[in-house]
C-alpha cells in the first residue's frame, strides 16, 4: 500500500469523524508518512498503522476541545503532555491493550522526533510521558 492509500483509508471506526469520513491528516503528518515511505522504506502496512494512530490522535484532540482555528497542523504540533496523558486514558477506557497503547505512543514519539529534526516544531509533548507497562 502506498502512502496515498494510507492517507485516505479509514482503518477503524474510532478514527473517523462524525460523518463517518476519515479525519483528514494535517500536512505535517502527511510529510512524516512520505518520509517513512520514501526515505525509511517502511512497508505499506506499517505506514497505514502509523497513519491510523496519528489520525486517531488528531480526532481525539479535536473532540477534547482543541483549538482548530489555526488548522490541523497547529492542533497536533501544539499538543502538550496533558493532551498525551488524556489520550492514554482514552486508550485505557476503550480497552486498548497495554501493548497496543505502547505501539501507538511509539508512533507518536517517532512523529515528534521527525518534526523536531526537521525543525517543524520544537515542541515534544511526549517528554516525561511514560509508556504503559506491559505484562508478559
Amino acid at each position: 500500500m502506498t502512502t496515498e492509500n494510507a492517507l485516505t483509508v479509514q482503518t477503524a471506526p474510532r478514527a473517523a469523524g462524525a460523518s463517518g469520513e476519515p479525519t483528514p491528516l494535517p500536512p505535517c503528518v502527511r510529510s512524516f508518512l512520505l518520509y517513512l515511505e520514501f526515505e525509511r522504506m517502511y512497508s505499506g502496512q506499517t505506514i497505514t498503522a502509523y497513519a491510523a494512530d496519528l489520525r486517531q490522535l488528531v480526532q481525539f484532540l479535536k473532540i477534547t476541545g482543541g483549538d482548530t482555528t489555526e488548522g490541523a497542523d497547529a492542533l497536533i504540533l501544539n499538543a502538550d503532555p496533558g493532551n498525551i496523558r488524556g489520550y492514554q486514558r482514552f486508550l485505557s477506557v476503550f480497552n486498548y491493550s497495554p501493548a497496543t497503547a505502547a505501539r501507538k505512543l511509539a508512533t507518536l514519539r517517532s512523529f515528534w522526533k521527525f518534526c523536531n529534526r526537521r525543525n517543524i516544531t520544537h515542541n515534544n509533548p511526549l517528554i516525561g510521558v511514560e509508556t504503559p507497562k506491559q505484562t508478559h
Side-chain angles (χ1 to χ4, degrees), residues 71-136:
D73 257 2
L75 183 66
I76 194 167
L77 294 174
N78 294 327
D80 62 37
N83 296 130
I84 302 303
R85 285 191 284 278
Y87 180 63
Q88 286 180 296
R89 285 189 297 277
F90 163 82
L91 295 174
S92 177
V93 166
F94 283 94
N95 295 316
Y96 284 88
S97 72
T100 299
R103 181 189 55 76
K104 288 176 177 288
L105 284 179
T107 296
L108 303 183
R109 288 184 200 285
S110 294
F111 169 72
W112 265 284
K113 185 176 177 181
F114 165 82
C115 289
N116 291 162
R117 286 186 174 169
R118 299 284 170 109
N119 290 316
I120 296 169
T121 185
H122 296 290
N123 180 38
N124 188 341
L126 286 126
I127 293 174
V129 174
E130 293 186 21
T131 300
K133 303 286 187 236
Q134 298 179 46
T135 58
H136 291 54

Side-chain angles (χ1 to χ4, degrees), residues 10-115:
Q10 181 176 339
T11 57
R14 288 181 225 163
S19 67
E21 292 297 315
T23 300
L25 291 171
C28 61
V29 172
R30 295 173 69 93
S31 294
F32 173 63
L33 297 174
L34 290 169
Y35 159 78
L36 294 178
E37 182 176 13
F38 294 109
E39 292 184 39
R40 298 298 308 256
M41 307 301 283
Y42 280 24
S43 75
Q45 288 179 321
T46 300
I47 293 167
T48 298
Y50 275 54
D53 293 344
L54 290 161
R55 181 175 282 117
Q56 185 181 49
L57 176 66
V58 169
Q59 185 65 28
F60 172 80
L61 293 171
K62 285 181 180 179
I63 290 170
T64 57
D67 178 12
T68 59
T69 58
E70 294 182 29
D73 257 2
L75 183 66
I76 194 167
L77 294 174
N78 294 327
D80 62 37
N83 296 130
I84 302 303
R85 285 191 284 278
Y87 180 63
Q88 286 180 296
R89 285 189 297 277
F90 163 82
L91 295 174
S92 177
V93 166
F94 283 94
N95 295 316
Y96 284 88
S97 72
T100 299
R103 181 189 55 76
K104 288 176 177 288
L105 284 179
T107 296
L108 303 183
R109 288 184 200 285
S110 294
F111 169 72
W112 265 284
K113 185 176 177 181
F114 165 82
C115 289

